[in-house]
Amino acid sequence: MSKQRTVYCGLVNDELVGQTITLKGWVQKRRDLGGVIFVDVRDREGFCQVVFNAENLSAEEMEMADKLRSEYVVEVTGVLNERDGAQTNPKIPTGRFELFAESLTVLAKSKTPPIYIEDDLDADEEVRLRNRVLDLRRPKMFNNFKLRHQVTRSIRNYLDNLEFIDVETPYLTKSTPEGARDYLVPTRREAGKFYALPQSPQLFKQLLMGAGFDRYYQIVRCFRDEDLRGDRQPEFTQVDLETSFLSQSEIQAITEEMLKEVVKATKGIDIVEAFPTMTYAQAINEYGVDKPDIRFEMKLVDFTDFAPESEFGVFKSAVSNGGQVKAINLKGQADAYTRKTADALIDVVKPYGAKGLAWMKVTSEGFNGPIAKFFADDNSSNVISERLNAEEGDILFFVADKADVVAASLGELRVNLAKQHQLFDPNALAFVWITDWPMFEYDEEEGRYVAMHHMFTAPQNANPEEVKANPAEALAQAYDIVLNGYEIGGGSIRINNLDMQEQIFDLVGFTKEQAEEQFGFLLNALEYGFPPHGGLALGLDRLVMLLAQEPNIREVIAFPKTGRGIDLLSNAPGYVENAQLSELHLNIRSQKD
């Protein structure tokens, strides 16, 4: 008969010393010291050392203890003792205790595991994902998911106290255009028709506002068929919320206080200052990206007005063709770069369209480097030094190109250099709001304007005719929340006026028939007294990743996909039987066909 567990291995304490207790868990290590066997037993909360000797155990049980191996599952009962001072292990919380076993039961045996169950694991990620069940046994991984649980619990408690209502929305829904590609789900009941998995509950949460729910939230799975990276997965979890009758500033305030509650509950940090705010234009101008990492300075500095006066032809040419010249100053790091290593940084900016990366060092005798001769006169030297606050020991980097290329290139170089030279506190949490987003951006390939956020975002200008007449200048009532250089959430005030929604659809290229076909259910609802409303969605996985200080979102998702979208544990996606395809009215063509 199995005995009831008294306590987790990692939670034994002084109160249990001298008592007979039962532990259950996995064998972490086994050491035979000649007649006495020491075994570290591990569960989700940590380790406890167990001592097996012939004084307390039968010969049969000692033989079992001798055969214990890594990852065997055991049940051990015995008396908890406090170790002598010299024998304590200060590296673990239970290092002052050991259990003298009086009975042993082997609950399950294990093959030799393909990976070690330890935090400092040097194993290929594909091996880890293929053996995810073992990988998740590591204490570090459990702590990540304990943190994730604390985050979601804190969010639910906060929103519940503000009278938000948790409402589930459909997973099988309608495929609608814009945004990323949908994951499609065929149905056997309607030949040739497909459901789509939701990229977000956007339209449903707006309909809930039209239904009078007033405050909705949901911690919900979303699906997007897009290229993957370290902070993106094909299926992800977001904290989705929507409100009626609240302004942008009120929604931001609710979100900000919720994030402060999360940080306090999970990290013990009490953030009292208001999150800083900057406009989209300021973020692009000073940081090169719409999700700036403000833990360090190194802002982009504009030299476009100065370039025509310089003797450097590359700068002049870029500006004469309508481009920009900007620079950043990596302070005090000039000696860290040779000509070869500085030139090699072109590889950082090249993927963002930059054709070159100019640089020069600041020395006691002036500028030094490949382009220094073009800025040797006092006027040039003074302008550059003053704008960049350039001092001896600094190294300056310049990009001259189209405005979007300059921003993206220097924005990426700025972050790359900061990581390389450890210019920020990795424990810092730097939140910032990005507001006043453009309503639209022009898609050169499509030859039309597309919504920067989505087509249901309300413009700051309430006159639909004026928005339609000048879409390039229209600003949205939209706001993103950024943490340490990652966008962790975004939202907007939504359109609640039928005329405005129809004008926006028209502006982005939808005919009335197409709008009715795709969004008729929303347009119909807007005719029945729709309240002013707005909301926001937070990326839960990304937020937990940052709080856990993990470099990859896969470390905080229990069963993630690879960068190619493959689940190595279950080998999904996979082929299915022809009978299943036939039921769904599908026929798969071969590559040859």
Side-chain angles (χ1 to χ4, degrees):
M1 293 289 292
S2 179
K3 299 176 183 177
Q4 183 175 352
R5 177 172 55 192
T6 308
V7 65
Y8 283 116
C9 298
L11 298 181
V12 297
N13 54 47
D14 291 293
E15 295 180 1
L16 297 172
V17 171
Q19 295 186 30
T20 298
I21 64 173
T22 297
L23 302 179
K24 301 186 183 189
W26 286 262
V27 172
Q28 179 71 15
K29 290 181 181 178
R30 173 190 168 279
R31 302 176 299 282
D32 189 341
L33 300 184
V36 180
I37 298 172
F38 294 89
V39 173
D40 289 341
V41 180
R42 182 196 77 246
D43 59 23
R44 72 177 211 179
E45 298 294 341
F47 310 88
C48 183
Q49 179 170 282
V50 180
V51 182
F52 298 92
N53 59 49
E55 295 179 10
N56 299 322
L57 293 170
S58 67
E60 181 183 2
E61 287 174 314
M62 281 300 292
E63 185 178 353
M64 277 196 296
D66 186 55
K67 293 180 179 179
L68 292 177
R69 295 296 181 266
S70 176
E71 298 311 298
Y72 276 35
V73 183
V74 297
E75 173 189 290
V76 185
T77 298
V79 177
L80 186 69
N81 286 355
E82 187 168 6
R83 296 194 208 179
D84 294 334
Q87 297 177 330
T88 59
N89 182 357
K91 295 181 180 179
I92 60 175
T94 59
R96 294 191 299 109
F97 309 104
E98 57 189 2
L99 184 75
F100 279 81
E102 295 178 346
S103 70
L104 167 65
T105 302
V106 176
L107 301 174
K109 295 181 179 181
S110 171
K111 297 192 300 183
T112 301
I115 61 174
Y116 292 111
I117 313 302
E118 57 189 23
D119 285 342
D120 296 327
L121 178 64
D122 183 19
D124 182 80
E125 187 182 41
E126 287 202 0
V127 176
R128 290 178 52 213
L129 293 179
R130 197 172 290 115
N131 298 278
R132 189 62 164 181
V133 174
L134 299 177
D135 190 42
L136 290 174
R137 291 181 186 178
R138 297 189 297 128
K140 179 181 178 183
M141 297 301 291
F142 173 74
N143 288 334
N144 283 351
F145 288 93
K146 192 172 183 178
L147 171 66
R148 185 180 176 120
H149 164 70
Q150 291 169 337
V151 169
T152 56
R153 180 178 60 190
S154 175
I155 288 171
R156 289 189 185 280
N157 289 341
Y158 176 81
L159 293 175
D160 288 347
N161 288 334
L162 291 181
E163 299 183 348
F164 280 78
I165 299 174
D166 185 351
V167 183
E168 291 184 342
T169 52
Y171 274 4
L172 297 176
T173 182
K174 184 182 180 69
S175 178
T176 54
E178 302 294 314
R181 297 182 186 89
D182 287 328
Y183 280 102
L184 300 178
V185 181
T187 171
R188 64 180 175 83
R189 293 182 177 87
E190 299 285 341
K193 293 185 178 181
F194 294 81
Y195 295 108
L197 300 180
Q199 296 187 29
S200 83
Q202 181 61 50
L203 296 179
F204 289 107
K205 66 183 181 182
Q206 288 189 244
L207 294 174
L208 288 171
M209 295 305 99
F213 279 54
D214 195 77
R215 293 189 176 196
Y216 140 94
Y217 86 96
Q218 187 180 186
I219 298 179
V220 61
R221 297 294 271 178
C222 302
F223 309 85
R224 294 179 186 171
D225 185 4
E226 56 189 351
D227 294 335
L228 306 183
R229 58 192 186 203
D231 66 339
R232 182 185 286 170
Q233 282 276 291
E235 53 180 323
F236 57 95
T237 303
Q238 72 181 31
V239 180
D240 201 54
L241 59 90
E242 196 79 5
T243 67
S244 296
F245 307 112
L246 295 186
S247 66
Q248 173 176 326
S249 60
E250 289 172 315
I251 295 170
Q252 286 182 247
I254 286 174
T255 306
E256 184 167 320
E257 288 305 313
M258 179 174 71
L259 287 168
K260 289 179 178 179
E261 286 287 328
V262 168
V263 171
K264 187 173 183 179
T266 60
K267 308 291 286 186
I269 300 172
D270 198 357
I271 302 176
V272 295
E273 306 86 0
F275 294 169
T277 297
M278 71 176 70
T279 65
Y280 171 87
Q282 180 186 356
I284 296 296
N285 184 50
E286 295 183 356
Y287 297 92
V289 294
D290 55 25
K291 47 182 185 294
D293 190 337
I294 61 171
R295 289 176 294 177
F296 59 98
E297 285 290 323
M298 212 194 311
K299 294 180 181 179
L300 280 58
V301 177
D302 199 342
F303 286 94
T304 305
D305 63 328
F306 167 74
E309 302 173 11
S310 75
E311 299 180 10
F312 192 29
V314 173
F315 286 4
K316 286 183 176 181
S317 176
V319 174
S320 66
N321 289 322
Q324 290 182 338
V325 178
K326 286 191 174 184
I328 57 174
N329 179 2
L330 179 58
K331 296 196 69 63
Q333 297 293 336
D335 290 343
Y337 290 89
T338 63
R339 179 164 189 147
K340 181 178 180 180
T341 56
D343 285 343
L345 291 173
I346 182 65
D347 292 334
V348 176
V349 299
K350 193 180 290 184
Y352 297 88
K355 303 176 190 68
L357 177 67
W359 61 271
M360 56 187 180
K361 297 180 180 182
V362 185
T363 72
S364 59
E365 299 176 355
F367 297 140
N368 178 269
I371 65 169
K373 62 184 179 181
F374 299 107
F375 306 100
D377 64 278
D378 290 343
N379 179 57
S380 297
S381 177
N382 289 338
V383 169
I384 292 173
S385 297
E386 183 177 336
R387 291 190 185 181
L388 285 169
N389 187 27
E391 301 170 312
E392 183 180 345
D394 297 347
I395 181 168
L396 318 176
F397 296 96
F398 298 80
V399 172
D401 215 305
K402 294 187 296 183
D404 59 340
V405 171
V406 171
S409 301
L410 282 179
E412 175 61 24
L413 181 62
R414 171 182 178 271
V415 173
N416 182 284
L417 294 174
K419 291 179 179 177
Q420 181 179 335
H421 296 285
Q422 300 177 335
L423 301 185
F424 54 83
D425 178 1
N427 296 312
L429 296 173
F431 292 92
V432 58
W433 285 104
I434 309 299
T435 62
D436 295 333
W437 285 72
M439 186 77 180
F440 306 101
E441 57 185 339
Y442 193 75
D443 188 318
E444 297 287 350
E445 292 185 7
E446 294 283 338
R448 63 182 178 90
Y449 283 97
V450 296
M452 180 74 90
H453 269 67
H454 53 64
M455 295 179 290
F456 317 105
T457 297
Q460 293 185 9
N461 187 336
N463 187 320
E465 295 298 333
E466 292 180 6
V467 173
K468 192 174 179 181
N470 193 11
E473 301 299 321
L475 294 179
Q477 296 186 61
Y479 36 90
D480 275 11
I481 182 68
V482 174
L483 173 59
N484 294 356
Y486 289 86
E487 175 211 335
I488 60 167
S492 65
I493 300 299
R494 326 300 188 187
I495 296 169
N496 74 311
N497 174 280
L498 180 61
D499 182 36
M500 176 67 82
Q501 188 64 76
E502 290 178 333
Q503 294 284 9
I504 297 300
F505 282 154
D506 182 55
L507 196 153
V508 298
F510 278 76
T511 65
K512 285 189 176 182
E513 291 75 20
Q514 288 172 325
E516 181 63 34
E517 167 65 21
Q518 297 289 343
F519 305 108
F521 58 98
L522 174 65
L523 298 176
N524 180 63
L526 287 172
E527 296 190 85
Y528 293 97
F530 222 94
H533 62 290
L536 178 137
L538 287 172
L540 179 68
D541 313 290
R542 200 173 290 175
L543 173 61
V544 176
M545 177 190 79
L546 293 170
L547 293 175
Q549 297 185 15
E550 289 287 3
N552 194 300
I553 203 169
R554 292 190 283 271
E555 300 301 301
V556 298
I557 296 175
F559 302 104
K561 309 292 189 295
T562 67
R564 294 182 294 132
I566 297 173
D567 179 357
L568 293 175
L569 181 69
S570 65
N571 288 322
Y575 295 107
V576 299
E577 297 293 333
N578 286 331
Q580 289 178 272
L581 295 175
S582 179
E583 276 193 327
L584 295 170
H585 316 284
L586 295 177
N587 181 40
I588 304 299
R589 292 186 300 175
S590 70
Q591 188 173 6
K592 181 179 178 180
D593 293 336

